[in-house]
Coordinates of all heavy atoms in Angstrom, one line a residue:
E80 N 24.4 1.4 3.4 CA 25.2 1.3 2.2 C 25.4 2.5 1.4 O 24.4 3.1 1.1 CB 24.7 0.1 1.4 CG 25.5 -0.3 0.3 CD 24.9 -1.6 -0.4 OE1 24.3 -2.4 0.2 OE2 25.2 -1.8 -1.7
Y81 N 26.5 2.9 1.1 CA 26.7 4.1 0.1 C 26.7 3.6 -1.2 O 27.6 2.7 -1.6 CB 28.0 4.8 0.5 CG 28.2 6.1 -0.2 CD1 27.4 7.2 0.1 CD2 29.2 6.2 -1.1 CE1 27.5 8.4 -0.5 CE2 29.4 7.5 -1.7 CZ 28.5 8.6 -1.3 OH 28.6 9.8 -2.0
C82 N 25.8 3.9 -2.1 CA 25.6 3.3 -3.4 C 26.3 4.3 -4.3 O 25.6 5.3 -4.8 CB 24.1 3.2 -3.6 SG 23.4 2.0 -2.5
L83 N 27.5 3.8 -4.8 CA 28.3 4.7 -5.7 C 27.7 4.6 -7.1 O 27.8 5.7 -7.9 CB 29.6 4.2 -5.8 CG 30.5 4.4 -4.5 CD1 31.8 3.7 -4.6 CD2 30.7 6.0 -4.3
Q84 N 26.9 3.6 -7.5 CA 26.3 3.6 -8.9 C 25.2 4.6 -9.1 O 24.9 4.8 -10.2 CB 25.9 2.2 -9.2 CG 24.8 1.7 -8.4 CD 25.1 1.0 -7.2 OE1 26.1 1.3 -6.5 NE2 24.3 0.0 -6.7
N85 N 24.6 5.2 -8.1 CA 23.6 6.2 -8.2 C 24.2 7.4 -8.6 O 25.3 7.8 -8.2 CB 22.8 6.3 -7.0 CG 22.0 5.1 -6.6 OD1 21.5 4.5 -7.4 ND2 21.7 5.0 -5.3
L86 N 23.5 8.3 -9.3 CA 24.0 9.7 -9.7 C 22.9 10.6 -9.1 O 21.8 10.7 -9.6 CB 24.1 9.9 -11.2 CG 25.3 9.0 -11.8 CD1 25.2 9.2 -13.2 CD2 26.7 9.4 -11.2
P87 N 23.3 11.5 -8.1 CA 24.5 11.5 -7.3 C 24.5 10.2 -6.4 O 23.4 9.7 -6.1 CB 24.4 12.7 -6.5 CG 23.1 13.0 -6.4 CD 22.3 12.5 -7.6
P88 N 25.7 9.7 -6.0 CA 25.7 8.7 -4.9 C 24.8 9.0 -3.7 O 24.9 10.1 -3.3 CB 27.2 8.6 -4.6 CG 27.9 9.1 -5.9 CD 27.0 10.2 -6.2
M89 N 24.2 8.0 -3.2 CA 23.4 8.3 -2.0 C 23.6 7.0 -1.1 O 24.1 6.1 -1.4 CB 21.9 8.1 -2.5 CG 21.6 9.2 -3.3 SD 21.1 10.8 -2.4 CE 19.9 11.4 -3.4
F90 N 23.2 7.3 0.2 CA 23.1 6.3 1.2 C 21.7 5.6 1.2 O 20.7 6.3 1.2 CB 23.4 6.9 2.7 CG 24.7 7.3 3.0 CD1 25.1 8.6 2.9 CD2 25.6 6.4 3.4 CE1 26.3 9.0 3.0 CE2 27.0 6.7 3.7 CZ 27.3 8.1 3.5
R110 N 30.4 -0.1 3.3 CA 31.1 1.2 2.8 C 30.8 1.5 1.4 O 31.0 2.7 0.9 CB 32.6 1.1 3.1 CG 32.9 1.1 4.5 CD 34.4 1.3 4.6 NE 34.8 0.8 5.9 CZ 35.9 0.3 6.3 NH1 36.8 0.1 5.3 NH2 36.2 0.0 7.5
N111 N 30.5 0.6 0.6 CA 30.2 0.9 -0.8 C 29.0 0.3 -1.4 O 28.4 -0.5 -0.7 CB 31.5 0.6 -1.6 CG 31.9 -0.9 -1.6 OD1 30.9 -1.6 -1.5 ND2 33.1 -1.2 -1.8
G112 N 28.8 0.5 -2.7 CA 27.6 0.1 -3.3 C 27.5 -1.4 -3.6 O 26.5 -2.0 -4.0
N113 N 28.6 -2.2 -3.4 CA 28.6 -3.6 -3.7 C 28.6 -4.4 -2.4 O 28.8 -5.7 -2.5 CB 29.7 -4.0 -4.7 CG 31.0 -3.9 -4.1 OD1 31.2 -3.6 -2.9 ND2 32.0 -3.8 -4.9

Side-chain angles (χ1 to χ4, degrees):
E80 186 173 332
Y81 191 64
C82 298
L83 293 172
Q84 68 270 29
N85 291 332
L86 292 176
M89 295 278 207
F90 286 96
R110 293 189 194 152
N111 62 25
N113 63 13

